[in-house]
Amino acid sequence: MQIHVSFDYELFFGRASGTAEKCILEPSQRLMDIATKHKVPFIFFVDAGYLHRLTHYAHVPAYKADYERIATQLRRLVAGGHEIALHIHPHWEDSVVEDGQWRVDTTRYKLADFREEEVLSIVSKYHQAIKDITGKPCLSYRAGGWCIQPFGPIKKALLQNGIHTDSTVYYHGYHASAAHAYDFRNAPDLAEWPFEDDPCVVQKTGSFREIPVTPDTIPPMFYWKLYLNMRSNPAVYRPVGDGSWLVDRKRIYKHFYTSTDHFACCDGFFASRLKPVLKRTEKEGKARMMILSHPKSMAPYSFCALDEFITFAKARGHSFHTITP
Ligand SMILES: [Zn+2]
């Protein structure tokens, strides 16, 4: 099996954005160290809107420094054989710095909240913000907050940007809130498929390929354990990022009393699920496993669990790869 370990490289979008140091730079450095130790590549879906927005504040020394440190890290990631892919959170269009803090406005959280011609310009200018740093175009895409529907306007923008691979969909995924809107309940349960106008529909002659995030069904007991671990041992289980999530409270409570659809992930205590998900994916005979995580959500526990998981997976004959060479 080919295993892809991917990270959405970004700040938080809740009340507090957190700092570039704690949410991005420090945890990504630790991830790079793990990758170097095992000689494996990871994939970083870089929030290009954040980079683009930072360039607007180049006259503010603190933001200029953040931009430069991120640019240096991205170049190091490329030199280390990691893949830099395009991740788009368009709410950066409406977010500003006030009193030395990001005032994140998620009223227009997804590309579907913008007009079609705006979508094209956002995708192209954000992609350019990455190319300006790495000197290389991105070949893979992941929608911010999984919001890739409707795909029509995004399709045009990706084609114009030479991007033909997406990794947003996860089997049975569904969320409808003020900010989020996605419905993957009709997506196929496959390791990869071609598509054209809808990433959930297989179309053999499609211009795109979907490499979905590997699904996981999580029992309520897991969330009770997560909650207790965070309370009893925050030094080990609390994520390293210093911001706050954009939360949907109703959805969180549901996790405690019924099994819920999630995906392979090494954020915080979710890293404890990596081995069981790998074993189940092996049994299903799938050719790939895609893990989706965030540097900001890694905890001391999850760095160790990821390290161990790589050893475990290699011993079972699996290998680690970028999505596109
Ligand atoms: Zn994101």
Side-chain angles (χ1 to χ4, degrees):
M1 196 154 59
Q2 293 204 10
I3 302 180
H4 307 288
V5 184
S6 73
F7 297 93
D8 296 357
Y9 184 97
E10 63 191 22
L11 293 180
F12 285 89
F13 309 129
R15 267 177 304 105
S17 68
T19 58
E21 193 64 39
K22 295 288 173 202
C23 298
I24 295 177
L25 295 162
E26 281 182 15
S28 300
Q29 180 58 52
R30 287 189 69 175
L31 292 170
M32 256 197 277
D33 294 343
I34 293 173
T36 306
K37 173 181 160 189
H38 292 280
K39 298 191 176 70
V40 297
F42 293 154
I43 302 126
F44 291 85
F45 283 92
V46 173
D47 178 2
Y50 170 53
L51 294 182
H52 183 263
R53 207 71 189 134
L54 273 176
T55 61
H56 278 256
Y57 291 98
H59 56 284
V60 183
Y63 292 96
K64 186 169 187 260
D66 280 351
Y67 178 84
E68 280 167 4
R69 284 183 304 164
I70 287 170
T72 303
Q73 185 168 68
L74 292 180
R75 288 188 203 108
R76 274 196 200 132
L77 286 168
V78 171
H82 302 286
E83 178 171 354
I84 301 300
L86 181 63
H87 188 48
I88 291 192
H89 278 287
H91 68 262
W92 284 108
E93 291 296 294
D94 304 323
S95 302
V96 294
V97 170
E98 264 175 32
D99 308 324
Q101 303 261 344
W102 286 110
R103 294 276 170 250
V104 170
D105 180 347
T106 54
T107 313
R108 297 197 290 175
Y109 180 70
K110 48 195 179 295
L111 281 172
D113 297 327
F114 292 80
R115 292 198 313 274
E116 195 166 329
E117 58 276 21
E118 290 177 306
V119 171
L120 193 56
S121 111
I122 290 170
V123 171
S124 299
K125 74 184 182 188
Y126 286 9
H127 187 202
Q128 189 60 45
I130 293 184
K131 289 189 279 186
D132 285 346
I133 291 172
T134 61
K136 278 171 70 169
C138 297
L139 298 172
S140 310
Y141 175 73
R142 175 174 292 150
W146 298 273
C147 300
I148 195 169
Q149 296 153 319
F151 185 62
I154 303 174
K155 169 186 166 176
K156 270 194 204 161
L158 293 183
L159 287 176
Q160 280 209 13
N161 279 273
I163 296 175
H164 296 268
T165 299
D166 176 70
S167 181
T168 301
V169 173
Y170 64 99
Y171 184 59
H172 274 178
Y174 173 76
H175 193 183
S177 71
H180 292 87
Y182 61 86
D183 186 350
F184 306 142
R185 289 175 296 181
N186 291 321
D189 184 15
L190 299 169
E192 178 179 345
W193 62 83
F195 73 95
E196 184 67 32
D197 295 308
D198 180 343
C200 294
V201 175
V202 180
Q203 191 172 330
K204 278 198 182 135
T205 55
S207 321
F208 298 91
R209 65 173 177 156
E210 178 66 31
I211 306 219
V213 186
T214 300
D216 185 18
T217 307
I218 302 200
M221 183 58 84
F222 169 86
Y223 285 97
W224 288 104
K225 278 191 199 159
L226 181 153
Y227 175 75
L228 291 172
N229 285 338
M230 293 267 280
R231 299 280 297 209
S232 64
N233 205 345
V236 173
Y237 293 103
R238 179 166 296 172
V240 294
D242 53 357
S244 49
W245 286 96
L246 180 64
V247 286
D248 178 354
R249 300 223 167 266
K250 256 195 262 164
R251 197 171 190 244
I252 289 184
Y253 297 138
K254 192 179 162 198
H255 293 149
F256 288 94
Y257 58 85
T258 180
S259 285
T260 42
D261 291 300
H262 200 260
F263 43 81
C265 179
C266 53
D267 289 355
F269 189 53
F270 284 95
S272 65
R273 307 272 315 163
L274 289 177
K275 288 180 190 174
V277 173
L278 174 85
K279 287 186 193 166
R280 198 211 62 232
T281 311
E282 272 175 358
K283 253 192 213 152
E284 291 170 352
K286 289 202 176 113
R288 295 177 192 271
M289 174 171 172
M290 168 68 76
I291 300 166
L292 185 164
S293 302
H294 304 80
K296 65 185 179 187
S297 304
M298 293 296 286
Y301 167 79
S302 35
F303 287 113
C304 295
L306 174 62
D307 191 330
E308 238 182 69
F309 171 76
I310 296 171
T311 306
F312 175 82
K314 279 184 163 179
R316 291 169 86 88
H318 305 303
S319 53
F320 290 77
H321 300 269
T322 53
I323 303 172
T324 40

